[in-house]
């Protein structure tokens, strides 16, 4: 009798030390038990009898329930364990930020240690092998794309990481494809330039924009060597404002709270002394102390301390709100209305945010205000990115040869509608996300209107318009319209 397993024995034939191979042979022997001796089975399968005895003894000595042993020592159980460990490493240590120790502890905590090597050394070997396989897969994908993908204009997001060695990283943000991940001796402009050009040499792509921080090496690489538009990383704008103001403002609030509490205690102390003095049966000789004057002075000090505390809290909230509003403003379309924002509008709105921040930070040290000034210097580049966006939209639509009405439809309804849909996906605030989604749906509702301009366009042309506005949404929406 021969048992058919989901895992073909042909895949492991010839390797007596393979766990899957041994599990198959054990199952086959146990099915033949009583009809064949160990010696006969070993001779037929060309396995040393001592090896077969070792496999059987290992299974008998596993400290687990019989049901678990039957499953995990079967070919399907071994295959499941292999997949479990592979996925654990992939999701925990490659995609996620867990360590090999975490995987080892996970296997032990799940009670799988009796069935699979769970030590750190074993899991490290598996992790290293997976690293090599991922690198090999990445190279094969890179080679496949180099020969199969059509020419494409792309943006690069570039940054350095430290492990502690310098690692240059560049990725294409739409697909999240990592184009460059390379250790380097330095992060100078020429190093960046050489590394990026090597990574892109075999791909049919043209870089038209790079997003990064304001590092001198990166700026040199983007502006002087690649010669493309540089879009500043808005994260570091907010980070510099926060680094310059958050700590000092928190300190001012703590000092103001302490002063307010101290002044309040002083008022209570003087009032208590006055009460004790006036409640005595026999007053001491001499003039009565001027308690009322002291209370009045202490209360004024408390009011002043309270005003300082409220002002410090107000300044903190003002800067927090202005920092948040910078991210809301920095869009070619107003996320809540869908209306076009030209560069001058964005510049004016950003200037108003920094005006509020500077006013709230006026009492901070020069070092703190310099941080805010450093962040403000990036505003000009943010504004130029808005201008770059509109230039690319105009150039793109011109190349597509749409009619005047079709261009208006794209600029006023389809492109902003899809753009707001993307913004909503990134928005963390639930209320604001719903408002943006509603506005996006309102703009895109024209696709399904039966009495509007788009209703008179044939389905193929409609597909082309939607594809031009946002390729990832085209098929679904055109199908809905049909």
């Amino acid at each position: 009798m021969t048992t058919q397993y989901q895992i073909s024995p042909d895949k492991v034939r010839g390797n007596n030390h393979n766990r899957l191979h041994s599990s198959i042979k054990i199952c086959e022997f146990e099915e033949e038990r009583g009809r064949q001796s160990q010696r006969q089975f070993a001779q037929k399968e060309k396995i040393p009898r001592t090896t077969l005895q070792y496999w059987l003894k290992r299974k008998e000595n596993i400290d687990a329930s019989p049901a678990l042993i039957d499953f995990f020592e079967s070919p399907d159980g071994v295959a499941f364990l292999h997949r479990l460990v592979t996925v654990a490493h992939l999701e925990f240590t490659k995609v996620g930020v867990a360590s090999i120790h975490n995987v080892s502890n996970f296997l032990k905590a799940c009670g799988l240690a009796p069935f699979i090597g769970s030590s750190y050394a074993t899991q490290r070997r598996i992790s290293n092998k997976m690293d090599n396989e991922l690198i090999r897969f990445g190279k094969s994908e890179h080679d496949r794309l180099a020969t199969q993908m059509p020419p494409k204009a792309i943006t690069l997001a570039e940054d350095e990481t430290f492990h502690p060695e310098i690692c240059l990283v560049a990725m294409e943000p739409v697909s999240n494809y990592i184009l460059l991940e390379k250790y380097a001796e330095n992060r100078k402009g020429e190093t960046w330039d050489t590394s990026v050009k090597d990574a892109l040499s075999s791909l049919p792509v043209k870089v038209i924009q790079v997003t990064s921080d304001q590092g001198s090496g990166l700026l040199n690489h983007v502006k002087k060597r690649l010669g493309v538009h540089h879009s500043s990383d808005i994260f570091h704008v907010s980070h510099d404002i926060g680094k310059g103001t958050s700590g000092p403002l928190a300190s001012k609030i703590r000092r103001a709270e302490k002063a307010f509490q101290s002044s309040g205690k002083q008022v209570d102390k003087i009032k208590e002394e006055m009460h004790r003095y006036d409640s005595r049966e026999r007053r001491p000789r001499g003039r009565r102390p001027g308690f009322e004057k002291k209370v009045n002075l202490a209360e004024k000090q408390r009011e002043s301390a309270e005003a300082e505390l409220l002002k410090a809290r107000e300044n903190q909230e003002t800067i927090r709100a202005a920092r948040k509003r910078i991210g809301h403003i920095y869009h070619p379309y107003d996320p809540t209305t869908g209306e076009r924002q030209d560069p001058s509008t964005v510049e004016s709105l950003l200037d108003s945010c920094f005006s509020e921040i500077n006013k709230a930070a006026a009492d901070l040290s020069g070092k703190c205000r310099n941080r805010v000034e450093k962040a403000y210097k990036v505003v000009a580049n943010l504004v130029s990115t808005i201008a770059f966006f509109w230039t690319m939209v105009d150039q793109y639509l011109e190349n597509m040869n749409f009619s005047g009405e079709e261009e208006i439809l794209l600029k006023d309804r389809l492109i902003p509608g899809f753009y707001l849909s993307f913004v909503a996906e990134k928005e963390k605030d639930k209320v604001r996300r719903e408002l943006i989604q509603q506005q996006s749906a309102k703009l895109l509702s024209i696709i399904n209107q039966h009495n509007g301009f788009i209703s008179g366009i044939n389905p193929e042309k409609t597909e082309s318009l939607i594809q031009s506005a946002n390729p990832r949404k085209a098929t679904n929406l055109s199908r809905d319209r049909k």
Side-chain angles (χ1 to χ4, degrees):
M1 178 180 178
T2 303
T3 302
Q4 298 296 322
Y5 299 110
Q6 293 182 13
I7 307 300
S8 173
D10 293 338
K11 295 183 178 181
V12 294
R13 184 170 292 147
N15 183 0
N16 290 343
H17 298 287
N18 185 287
R19 183 71 179 276
L20 183 57
H21 173 78
S22 65
S23 67
I24 292 173
K25 295 306 174 186
I26 290 174
C27 287
E28 290 177 349
F29 172 75
E30 289 177 341
E31 290 173 359
E32 295 292 329
R33 195 188 295 269
R35 293 190 292 270
Q36 284 187 355
S37 66
Q38 290 183 4
R39 187 184 303 277
Q40 291 171 330
F41 182 83
Q43 288 176 348
K44 184 184 73 172
E45 299 295 332
K46 298 180 180 179
I47 302 171
R49 184 187 177 191
T50 53
T51 300
L52 178 61
Q53 289 175 332
Y54 167 74
W55 290 344
L56 294 170
K57 186 175 181 181
R58 180 184 63 190
K59 181 177 179 179
E60 292 172 0
N61 291 334
I62 293 177
D63 184 15
S65 70
L68 287 177
I69 294 173
D70 287 342
F71 174 67
F72 285 124
E73 288 297 303
S74 70
D76 287 336
V78 172
F80 171 79
L81 287 175
H82 287 173
R83 174 168 297 204
L84 176 71
V85 173
T86 300
V87 173
H89 276 281
L90 181 63
E91 290 296 324
F92 295 169
T93 69
K94 311 307 176 187
V95 178
V97 296
S99 67
I100 297 173
H101 284 293
N102 294 130
V103 176
S104 178
N105 293 336
F106 165 76
L107 296 173
K108 294 173 183 176
C110 289
L112 298 176
F115 304 101
I116 194 166
S118 305
S119 67
Y120 173 81
T122 299
Q123 295 307 312
R124 183 178 61 184
R125 287 195 297 271
I126 295 172
S127 180
N128 291 341
K129 184 177 180 180
M130 181 172 288
D131 286 339
N132 294 332
E133 290 298 315
L134 288 172
I135 293 170
R136 184 189 62 79
F137 174 75
K139 186 178 184 306
S140 68
E141 279 295 284
H142 186 280
D143 294 342
R144 183 182 67 83
L145 289 172
T147 57
Q148 296 183 14
M149 71 178 290
K152 188 176 183 181
I154 65 170
T155 291
L156 286 182
E158 298 180 351
D159 202 0
E160 301 107 355
T161 59
F162 304 88
H163 308 141
E165 301 89 346
I166 298 170
C167 184
L168 309 182
V169 180
M171 65 184 295
E172 199 279 318
V174 177
S175 63
N176 286 333
Y177 185 78
I178 299 176
L179 289 157
L180 170 67
E181 195 171 23
K182 178 184 178 182
Y183 286 110
E185 293 183 359
N186 58 64
R187 44 184 177 151
K188 296 180 180 178
E190 54 266 32
T191 305
W192 262 109
D193 197 56
T194 301
S195 301
V196 169
K197 286 182 177 179
D198 287 346
L200 301 178
S201 60
S202 60
L203 295 175
V205 298
K206 178 183 178 182
V207 178
I208 60 172
Q209 178 183 218
V210 173
T211 299
S212 74
D213 58 28
Q214 298 296 111
S216 58
L218 281 165
L219 292 178
N220 178 281
H221 154 63
V222 175
K223 295 182 177 181
K224 295 184 179 180
R225 298 175 184 276
L226 283 180
V228 300
H229 176 73
H230 177 259
S231 177
S232 295
D233 179 0
I234 196 171
F235 163 79
H236 285 90
V237 175
S238 179
H239 179 265
D240 283 331
I241 295 171
K243 194 168 184 179
T245 62
S246 296
L249 284 173
S251 296
K252 286 180 71 71
I253 289 174
R254 286 194 297 269
R255 289 195 297 269
E257 287 175 338
K258 187 176 181 180
F260 176 64
Q261 292 171 359
S262 178
S263 61
K265 291 178 180 178
Q266 184 65 17
V267 171
D268 294 339
K269 180 180 178 181
I270 296 172
K271 286 183 176 180
E272 185 179 348
E273 289 177 356
M274 181 175 65
H275 176 71
R276 284 201 307 267
Y277 187 91
D278 292 340
S279 61
R280 292 179 181 179
E281 293 182 4
R282 296 181 61 184
R283 292 185 179 180
R285 292 181 180 180
R287 183 181 298 177
R288 179 179 180 275
F291 290 113
E292 288 78 9
K293 185 176 181 180
K294 291 182 178 180
V295 169
N296 185 47
L297 180 60
E299 286 180 340
K300 287 182 177 179
Q301 290 176 342
R302 182 177 63 182
E303 291 173 1
S304 177
E306 184 179 18
E308 285 291 324
L309 175 59
L310 293 175
K311 182 64 176 176
R313 287 175 174 170
E314 181 184 350
N315 288 340
Q316 184 186 56
E317 184 55 36
T318 296
I319 293 179
R320 181 185 288 120
R323 284 176 63 195
K324 194 173 185 179
R325 201 158 63 252
I326 289 172
H328 295 165
I329 291 169
Y330 184 48
H331 293 282
Y333 293 99
D334 186 321
T336 56
T337 66
E339 295 181 359
R340 171 176 173 151
Q341 296 192 137
D342 57 33
S344 60
T345 301
V346 173
E347 183 176 22
S348 176
L349 293 172
L350 290 176
D351 282 344
S352 68
C353 289
F354 276 94
S355 177
E356 294 177 13
I357 291 171
N358 286 324
K359 184 177 179 180
D363 294 337
L364 301 183
S365 68
K367 184 178 179 181
C368 297
R369 295 196 302 274
N370 288 341
R371 281 279 184 182
V372 176
E373 182 64 25
K374 179 184 175 184
Y376 180 71
K377 289 179 180 178
V378 183
V379 168
N381 192 256
L382 299 181
V383 173
S384 70
T385 296
I386 299 296
F388 174 78
F389 173 88
W390 288 117
T391 299
M392 295 305 298
V393 168
D394 291 340
Q395 180 180 324
Y396 174 72
L397 295 179
E398 182 180 347
N399 293 336
M400 295 298 291
N401 295 318
F402 289 117
S403 68
E405 287 183 315
E406 290 168 348
E407 283 197 13
I408 293 173
L409 175 68
L410 283 164
K411 286 184 177 181
D412 294 347
R413 298 295 294 269
L414 298 184
I415 294 178
F418 286 122
Y419 182 84
L420 264 59
S421 176
F422 175 77
V423 173
E425 292 176 6
K426 304 292 184 180
E427 179 59 52
K428 296 181 179 179
D429 182 83
K430 183 179 179 180
V431 175
R432 182 175 169 82
R433 181 170 64 250
E434 290 178 353
L435 289 174
I436 298 173
Q437 287 173 337
Q438 291 172 5
Q439 188 60 41
S440 172
K442 182 179 178 181
L443 290 167
L444 295 177
S445 64
I446 194 172
I447 295 173
N448 296 315
Q449 287 178 1
H450 298 289
N451 57 352
F453 168 73
I454 203 169
S455 63
I457 304 176
N458 63 61
E460 291 74 17
K461 189 64 174 180
T462 302
E463 176 82 13
S464 175
L465 288 170
I466 299 173
Q467 183 81 18
S468 299
N470 190 343
R472 65 176 182 165
K473 295 286 185 180
T475 302
N476 291 336
L477 286 175
S478 60
R479 186 185 299 121
D480 293 341
R481 182 171 178 263
K482 294 175 186 178

